[in-house]
Amino acid sequence: MGNNRFNGKAIYNPSGKAGEYSDWACNFYTGCSNNCDYCYCKKGVMSHVWSDTPKLKKCFRDEEEAISIFEKELLANLRELQKHGLFFSFTTDPMLPQTIDLTVRAIKICVHHSVNVKILTKRADFAEKFFRPLCSKSALNENLMHIAYTRHIAFGFTLTGHDELESNASSNSDRIKAMKVLHESGYKTFASIEPIIDLEGSLSMIISTVGFCDLYKVGLLSGKKYNWRELRGFMLACTSLKSKFYFKDSFISQADLDRANLPQSCVGRDYDMFKM
């Protein structure tokens, strides 16, 4: 993003490891009720504002002010957002019962302005609450809206294969079922295979979703040391499948690989799944 970074109250250019994941992101809340044992927000720079209940960021008076500021920031950066898309969210799960209403309102604004949206969640129980506000009384308008939303929205699910570490999230198997339904409905889907708790479990998640997952983003558990030979074997097993993979820098570094020499099914961080 160079030196012209945008740091709004809702929309911003992430940096560091988050910047590797997306050029633009939106955060309305901090905190998350999924209660994942490995959550980086609990231990990192956000630990001082973290809670097991999502709370609207203190810079917003209420949700009405938050959506108003969001729309202003989106319009101020519209050309770049139309180019790169917008990610929800690094500081909570955007599909929690407490966060989904504001997420839906923001996404409607994005789609109206032809901004692609990537949603990452550990929930599989959001469908009715997410889609009902998008429906229209007119069958024709509802069909047109479905076309617009499948064109501009990608649903992502974090898949670790370890429900015991994600005590309040939907099960990994339920997330996989939700991904399949969404993909069959015409939506782009992606999986965040991060963090890798163990290579066998992560590979199982990938194999279970081949055919209805358009992109896999693979990353390591922060602070954990892996065997480089095992990482390379894992990568080869993944890339033998007919899918697209983005291996994060931490994976490439620990596997002692050169990104320029990765298999053809590996893509760069700028890969646009909406143009597949």
Side-chain angles (χ1 to χ4, degrees):
M1 297 301 301
N3 296 322
N4 299 318
R5 305 189 66 82
F6 183 78
N7 189 27
K9 293 182 177 180
I11 297 173
Y12 70 109
N13 296 132
S15 58
K17 293 182 179 179
E20 184 183 359
Y21 210 92
S22 181
D23 289 319
W24 292 83
C26 173
N27 295 330
F28 288 123
Y29 297 87
T30 59
C32 180
S33 58
N34 286 332
N35 196 32
C36 302
D37 290 359
Y38 53 76
C39 180
Y40 69 93
C41 291
K42 290 181 178 180
K43 304 169 185 177
V45 295
M46 288 190 57
S47 58
H48 67 290
V49 295
W50 192 253
S51 70
D52 291 335
T53 301
K55 298 178 181 178
L56 193 67
K57 289 167 61 177
K58 291 183 178 180
C59 59
F60 303 125
R61 182 173 60 251
D62 51 34
E63 290 190 355
E64 292 305 317
E65 183 183 57
I67 201 68
S68 175
I69 290 172
F70 171 85
E71 186 165 18
K72 290 177 183 176
E73 293 179 352
L74 181 136
L75 293 175
N77 297 281
L78 186 57
R79 184 173 297 181
E80 284 296 302
L81 287 166
Q82 287 173 337
K83 179 180 178 182
H84 297 286
L86 187 61
F87 176 84
F88 291 79
S89 161
F90 284 114
T91 59
T92 191
D93 188 321
M95 309 304 268
L96 294 169
Q98 305 96 320
T99 63
I100 191 170
D101 288 343
L102 198 51
T103 300
V104 171
R105 293 177 69 183
I107 287 172
K108 289 181 73 172
I109 294 171
C110 289
V111 173
H112 178 73
H113 291 286
S114 299
V115 172
N116 293 333
V117 173
K118 293 166 285 186
I119 303 164
L120 181 62
T121 184
K122 292 189 181 82
R123 308 300 306 185
D125 52 0
F126 60 82
E128 182 177 356
K129 192 154 190 178
F130 184 87
F131 289 107
R132 179 174 289 179
L134 307 182
C135 294
S136 165
K137 294 180 180 179
S138 163
L140 175 60
N141 287 342
E142 187 172 329
N143 185 54
L144 292 173
M145 186 170 288
H146 175 76
I147 293 171
Y149 278 77
T150 54
R151 181 180 298 160
H152 292 294
I153 301 174
F155 289 95
F157 295 86
T158 297
L159 299 174
T160 64
H162 285 270
D163 292 342
E164 76 280 5
L165 301 181
E166 305 158 342
S167 58
N168 292 333
S170 299
S171 68
N172 280 260
S173 61
D174 282 347
R175 291 174 230 168
I176 290 171
K177 291 175 185 175
M179 178 188 287
K180 190 172 190 293
V181 169
L182 288 163
H183 194 270
E184 290 174 347
S185 299
Y187 288 92
K188 299 294 185 185
T189 56
F190 65 99
S192 177
I193 309 297
E194 183 182 18
I196 293 176
I197 306 301
D198 65 88
L199 296 170
E200 183 179 357
S202 292
L203 184 59
S204 174
M205 293 293 98
I206 293 168
I207 292 172
S208 297
T209 53
V210 168
F212 53 89
C213 181
D214 297 304
L215 176 65
Y216 296 92
K217 296 190 174 186
V218 184
L220 305 180
L221 179 64
S222 180
K224 181 176 179 178
K225 298 299 181 183
Y226 298 75
N227 181 288
W228 67 271
R229 291 184 180 87
E230 292 179 353
L231 289 180
R232 288 189 178 188
F234 173 83
M235 186 203 69
L236 290 174
C238 290
T239 55
S240 68
L241 305 168
K242 294 182 179 179
S243 301
K244 296 294 185 183
F245 290 85
Y246 174 72
F247 291 93
K248 295 186 71 175
D249 289 344
S250 58
F251 186 105
I252 298 300
S253 176
Q254 284 210 40
D256 195 23
L257 291 166
D258 181 352
R259 192 175 290 280
N261 296 324
L262 296 181
Q264 193 172 6
S265 59
C266 296
V267 299
R269 59 162 293 181
D270 59 349
Y271 178 74
D272 188 349
M273 61 191 302
F274 291 95
K275 293 181 179 179
M276 292 169 50

